[in-house]
Amino acid sequence: MSKIKEVKTIGILTSGGDAPGMNAAIRAVVRTAIHKNLRVKGIMRGYAGLLQEEIIDMESTSVSDIIHRGGTILYTARSSEFVTKEGQELGAKICKEHGIDGMVVIGGDGSFKGAEKLSEFGVNTIGIPGTIDLDIACTDYTIGFDTAVNTAMEAIDKVRDTSTSHERCSIIEVMGRNAGYIALWCGFANGAEDILLPERYDGDEQKLINRIINNRKRGKKHHIIINAEGIGHSSSMSKRIEAATGIETRATILGYMQRGGAPTCKDRVYASIMGAKAVELLTAGKSNRLVSYRHGQFCDFDIKEALAMKKDISEEQYRISKMLVR
């Protein structure tokens, strides 16, 4: 039986797009590690900062008063150099030179590919899913989604008010990259007349136009279309719809506001549990694992296995959404 590798110093970084709740996870990693008599080093600006050796010592006070803040106190950046084998080897070498024998990576699927490589080069590494897109297949929850979808929902409510006042059609584009989860949830929560999801959209714009015309004939004063970022082209779509229907149509792209703001209670609590669990996995000698929340339980998956999984919109949720839009 191989001996469990003892971890004495944990590094932590955030990578890729920021997400509300990342600070809660950072706080939990730091304080759980200190509770277990481990040292903690924060790596600024993700893998790019690792290669530049932007590494700081972290204490319990380093994470005071951050749980309620959006974004990430460690900052984030993308690194083309770390995608290369040479960059990955250098990153692992720098970790070892700074005494980092365990690493926690908070980010999305691209970040986890980097985590997997660090693990291969001898740095025990655990991933935590931090992305507003909810597009990591092995987990039912990702840090930031709950806050982002609530932010979008509140913004769409406001657009609906002015859309009704002007008797308009409004196309509201939400984030999510190629995943339609924010669009689907907002479609439910905002009572949208149409929801366009990259996983399901057939590109039939005429069908949209016919629905808008029919709804206006039966007395609807507005028409809200939630459009996912993965489909995009909201501005040009609005021009075509207005030309075809004669109804004033406006596009609103919510954009990066969905990434910001104070995290919800759920994002604070779940991110904290995931951060603590990541440290526990490292102290148990685990590596190349991804902390997840699945079927109501916090668990973990092999990163390679997790990245190979495919995720799709729930057929039940999609079916019900189609019944509710009118």
Side-chain angles (χ1 to χ4, degrees):
M1 183 180 294
S2 59
K3 184 180 177 181
I4 292 176
K5 179 180 176 182
E6 184 181 5
V7 173
K8 295 180 179 179
T9 301
I10 291 177
I12 179 170
L13 63 80
T14 50
S15 174
D18 63 309
M22 280 184 166
N23 284 328
I26 293 168
R27 174 179 178 271
V29 169
V30 171
R31 293 198 168 171
T32 304
I34 290 170
H35 178 77
K36 293 178 177 291
N37 298 314
L38 304 175
R39 293 186 295 273
V40 187
K41 292 183 180 286
I43 294 135
M44 310 299 288
R45 299 175 184 84
Y47 293 119
L50 174 61
L51 297 180
Q52 295 297 318
E53 298 190 59
E54 296 182 51
I55 300 170
I56 61 172
D57 291 320
M58 299 191 79
E59 306 293 340
S60 182
T61 54
S62 305
V63 291
S64 296
D65 299 322
I66 69 167
I67 195 168
H68 61 287
R69 291 167 54 186
T72 162
I73 63 164
L74 294 176
Y75 303 106
T76 183
R78 303 186 191 278
S79 172
S80 56
E81 186 181 356
F82 198 79
V83 175
T84 67
K85 182 180 179 183
E86 293 75 18
Q88 293 155 2
E89 288 178 332
L90 177 59
K93 179 173 177 287
I94 289 169
C95 283
K96 291 167 186 173
E97 287 174 350
H98 285 264
I100 297 171
D101 35 34
M103 178 73 81
V104 176
V105 173
I106 307 170
D109 50 5
S111 305
F112 302 142
K113 291 174 184 176
E116 184 179 21
K117 294 302 179 182
L118 280 180
S119 184
E120 289 176 6
F121 288 118
V123 181
N124 283 16
T125 308
I126 305 296
I128 298 176
T131 167
I132 68 169
D133 301 342
L134 193 63
D135 59 350
I136 307 298
C138 69
T139 184
D140 300 329
Y141 165 83
T142 60
I143 294 170
F145 173 76
D146 191 62
T147 305
V149 80
N150 275 282
T151 298
M153 178 190 72
E154 291 170 7
I156 293 166
D157 279 344
K158 292 176 172 63
V159 174
R160 176 187 288 280
D161 290 342
T162 195
S163 185
T164 303
S165 297
H166 290 267
E167 300 181 85
R168 283 178 184 155
C169 171
S170 288
I171 303 173
I172 305 168
E173 186 174 316
V174 297
M175 293 183 81
R177 202 167 47 171
N178 293 314
Y181 298 99
I182 294 177
L184 179 64
W185 281 49
C186 285
F188 271 108
N190 294 107
E193 279 68 44
D194 277 293
I195 312 167
L196 309 184
L197 309 175
E199 298 91 339
R200 296 288 187 276
Y201 185 48
D202 59 8
D204 189 351
E205 211 165 271
Q206 188 58 50
K207 184 163 59 178
L208 274 179
I209 289 166
N210 292 342
R211 281 174 52 77
I212 293 165
I213 292 170
N214 289 335
N215 279 351
R216 183 56 59 96
K217 285 179 180 176
R218 63 188 184 90
K220 290 279 286 188
K221 297 299 183 185
H222 63 260
H223 194 102
I224 301 294
I225 300 169
I226 309 295
N227 186 29
E229 180 184 17
I231 296 171
H233 306 292
S234 297
S235 296
S236 58
M237 187 185 296
S238 71
K239 292 185 177 80
R240 292 192 297 270
I241 288 174
E242 181 167 331
T245 63
I247 297 169
E248 185 181 16
T249 304
R250 294 289 181 270
T252 302
I253 299 173
L254 298 184
Y256 288 107
M257 67 178 293
Q258 294 160 89
R259 288 197 184 279
T264 59
C265 180
K266 182 173 184 177
D267 274 328
R268 298 181 199 196
V269 173
Y270 279 33
S272 297
I273 294 171
M274 284 182 158
K277 186 169 178 64
V279 175
E280 290 175 346
L281 288 169
L282 285 172
T283 55
K286 302 292 181 65
S287 183
N288 202 43
R289 306 296 294 180
L290 180 59
V291 179
S292 303
Y293 179 81
R294 196 171 175 89
H295 307 315
Q297 299 290 327
F298 290 94
C299 54
D300 57 279
F301 285 84
D302 177 81
I303 289 179
K304 185 180 288 293
E305 178 187 346
L307 290 175
M309 293 179 178
K310 303 299 180 186
K311 190 168 188 177
D312 195 9
I313 289 288
S314 160
E315 193 57 46
E316 180 182 44
Q317 290 182 21
Y318 180 68
R319 176 179 56 80
I320 292 172
S321 77
K322 297 300 287 183
M323 290 191 295
L324 298 181
V325 295
R326 284 290 182 271

